[in-house]
């Protein structure tokens, strides 16, 4: 817009000359303006003082500024809706959003950074992180071998192999590689307060028993008897068969006792196999205390229930069993891995076998000191 060569003060002064009695034609000839300009001035500034003109000019400037801000805000809202990707939560996604706004919408760098919520210095900063190609490759291999492991257990496995890195870096690589293990289903949470379960102070003080059911690929059902040492979380047996009676359970407990010795206590639910005469006779013959949990309270036998969840999630849900022999082989291999290789977070990252051995060494050392 062409700027007028007359200021507001001069225009109001010219109009006051007209009000004093000077004719319009003489006034236009005197100041070198056209009739249209004079009448335009009169319609706009007629009857105004210089202060009123200044105030009007300030209001017009403010109005223009507000219109510009509103237009820019509406454009920003439309740009945010068109931006590719989801929420801008990380610096990488914000950088990509800035690049898109500068390229597609011709935004300036500063305005695009303000729109994406990132400081221009952060946007211009060059990343100096190493590629970690070997570490990423090994992480993908481990997660492929153990698909149900999260980043914490993978971190323990990598440290065993000699990789020196903290869990925060591993978690970043874990997320960037898209290796997050999806949780399967949910479980009901108990309401109210809970009494902590007493933990045995040595091996063979307390065993836990429970059954797990599954099916073969042809639909035949089979059961698994799981026996856990509550101190070391070690799985002492996973007996797979289509039928497991009380006599069979007693025979399997005797087979375990030949290697480990008899426990002081056994904890189980109130299943018919575990309340049979064969089990009652076995506990009387071997002087073993047998504790039955309250009906409908599986968390009173929480150690074996936790093991059952790991068994189903990491083994039973991952395989199709052609027959009983196939099921026994895979479940036995998984039990060996659980006892000797799988890190247990409640045991400070040790395996159940390592925790058991350390306890035996500590007890031997204490006897020697006494």
């Amino acid at each position: 817009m062409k700027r007028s060569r007359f200021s507001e003060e001069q225009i109001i002064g010219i109009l006051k000359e007209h009000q004093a009695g000077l004719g319009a034609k003489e006034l236009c000839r005197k100041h070198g303006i056209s009739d249209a300009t004079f009448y335009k001035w009169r319609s706009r500034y007629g009857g105004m003082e210089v202060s009123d003109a200044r105030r009007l000019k300030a209001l017009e400037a403010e109005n223009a500024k507000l219109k510009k801000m509103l237009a820019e805000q509406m454009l920003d809202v439309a740009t945010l809706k068109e931006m590719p990707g989801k929420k801008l939560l990380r610096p990488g996604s914000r950088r990509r959003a800035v690049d898109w706004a500068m390229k597609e919408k011709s935004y300036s760098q500063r305005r695009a950074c303000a729109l994406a919520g990132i400081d221009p210095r952060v946007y211009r900063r060059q990343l100096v992180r190493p590629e970690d190609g070997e570490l990423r490759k090994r992480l993908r291999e481990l997660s492929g071998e153990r698909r149900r492991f999260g980043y914490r257990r993978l971190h323990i496995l990598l440290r065993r192999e000699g990789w020196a890195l903290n869990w925060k870096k591993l978690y970043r690589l874990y997320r960037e590689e898209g290796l997050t293990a999806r949780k399967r289903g949910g479980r009901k949470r108990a309401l109210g307060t809970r009494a902590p379960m007493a933990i045995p102070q040595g091996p063979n003080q307390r065993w836990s028993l429970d059954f797990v059911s599954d099916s073969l690929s042809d639909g035949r059902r089979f059961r698994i008897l799981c026996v856990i040492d509550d101190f070391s979380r070690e799985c002492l047996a996973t007996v797979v068969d289509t039928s497991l009676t009380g006599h069979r359970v007693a025979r399997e407990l005797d087979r375990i006792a030949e290697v480990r010795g008899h426990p002081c206590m056994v904890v189980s639910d109130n299943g018919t196999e575990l309340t049979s005469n064969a089990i009652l006779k076995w506990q009387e013959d071997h002087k073993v205390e047998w504790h039955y949990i309250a009906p409908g309270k599986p968390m009173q036998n929480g150690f074996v229930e936790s093991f059952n969840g790991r068994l189903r999630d990491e083994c039973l849900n991952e395989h199709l069993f052609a027959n009983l022999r196939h099921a026994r082989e895979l479940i036995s291999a998984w039990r060996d891995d659980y006892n000797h290789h799988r890190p247990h977070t409640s045991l400070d990252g040790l395996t159940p076998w390592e925790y058991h051995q350390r306890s035996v060494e500590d007890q031997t050392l204490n006897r020697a000191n006494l």
Side-chain angles (χ1 to χ4, degrees), residues 208-216 220-228 235 237-244 249 268-269 271 273-274 298 301-318 321 324 327 331 334-335:
S208 296
L209 274 68
D210 200 10
F211 292 96
V212 180
S213 298
D214 202 14
S215 60
L216 303 176
R220 292 175 59 201
R221 303 290 297 178
F222 66 89
R223 305 181 73 194
I224 308 169
L225 170 65
C226 301
V227 184
I228 303 295
C235 178
T238 50
V239 183
V240 180
D241 212 332
T242 55
S243 176
L244 294 170
V249 173
S268 72
D269 58 17
E273 303 88 349
L274 305 176
N301 201 11
F303 291 108
V304 72
E305 292 289 346
S306 176
F307 172 82
N308 292 345
R310 303 284 76 74
L311 172 63
R312 186 170 297 282
D313 186 46
E314 298 176 11
C315 182
L316 301 183
N317 290 344
E318 294 292 315
F321 305 111
L324 276 180
I331 293 173
W334 183 86
R335 181 174 71 88

Side-chain angles (χ1 to χ4, degrees), residues 114-151:
L115 182 63
I118 184 173
D119 192 274
R121 291 174 297 178
V122 178
Y123 169 74
R124 292 191 293 265
R125 181 184 176 187
Q126 298 294 327
L127 297 179
V128 294
R129 285 175 176 169
E131 293 295 332
D132 296 314
E134 292 295 327
L135 177 57
R136 290 174 184 268
K137 179 181 177 182
R138 183 55 185 156
L139 182 60
R140 288 193 299 269
E141 291 175 353
L142 279 177
S143 62
E145 295 171 2
R146 302 175 179 273
R147 300 193 303 167
R148 300 304 301 167
F149 274 23
Y151 72 94

